[in-house]
Amino acid sequence: MAQPVRVRRLTEQEGQKPQWIVRPGSASTVQFRRAMMLLASAGGNSVPVVARLVQADEDTVRDVIHRFNEIGLACLDSQWAGGRPRLLSDDDEDFVIQMATTRPTKLGKPFTRWSIRKLVDHLRRNVARPIHISREALRSLLARRGITFQRTETWKESTDPDFDAKLDRIEYAVNERPDRTFAFDEFGPLGIRPTAGS
């Protein structure tokens, strides 16, 4: 029959640190539970009793005891893995931002503005470079890069056949030559007059 799993004999220093940790408010909950496991096992309790005491799985209690027997009090510290690895590279993120800042009509889409749902669908169906990203991940990426999709107020489209070329020239002037670009309004100043009604 196998020997029961128990912590090895604690030195004086090894016994003081777990007792300090189990004081209220002195450590994290992970350290608190692990210190309780060590002290309960050092007190002669079996693994099932310790597991019921700290409300943990018996295998977890055994793992903590084995780790303490191998590396000492370092087993009390959390060893977090750092989370899931990134699925999108920096190049992929730049490509997503490039798509988000391109007008959908230039890509042959029948609408004038992106929505999160439409952009996710376009990125997934892109034959040249398909990118699989969730709506929430895309929303977070766009927020980090300072891009927002505003709901359009009107649905008026220009019927001018050179509309896209003119818009490209305006965007070039505003973005590439901001110090030499002036805007004039053909409509002129508005006269504000009170009118009857609401």
Side-chain angles (χ1 to χ4, degrees), residues 51-123:
R52 281 195 302 274
L53 175 70
V54 296
Q55 296 180 346
D57 186 56
E58 291 182 17
D59 290 336
T60 303
V61 174
R62 286 188 189 93
D63 290 341
V64 170
I65 291 172
H66 285 306
R67 292 235 344 126
F68 173 77
N69 291 339
E70 292 172 9
I71 63 172
L73 291 176
C75 76
L76 296 175
D77 297 326
S78 302
Q79 301 292 325
W80 305 114
R84 181 179 178 182
R86 288 181 58 188
L87 298 178
L88 292 180
S89 66
D90 290 335
D91 291 338
D92 290 338
E93 286 186 2
D94 292 339
F95 179 74
V96 169
I97 296 303
Q98 179 186 357
M99 287 291 111
T101 55
T102 303
R103 290 179 62 90
T105 52
K106 287 185 179 179
L107 299 172
K109 299 293 179 183
F111 41 86
T112 58
R113 296 277 181 250
W114 289 114
S115 67
I116 298 289
R117 185 178 305 234
K118 289 177 182 176
L119 185 56
V120 165
D121 186 54
H122 173 71
L123 291 169

Side-chain angles (χ1 to χ4, degrees), residues 138-148:
L138 177 61
R139 188 198 60 75
S140 298
L141 172 62
L142 295 175
R144 274 197 323 267
R145 299 285 185 100
I147 297 171
T148 60

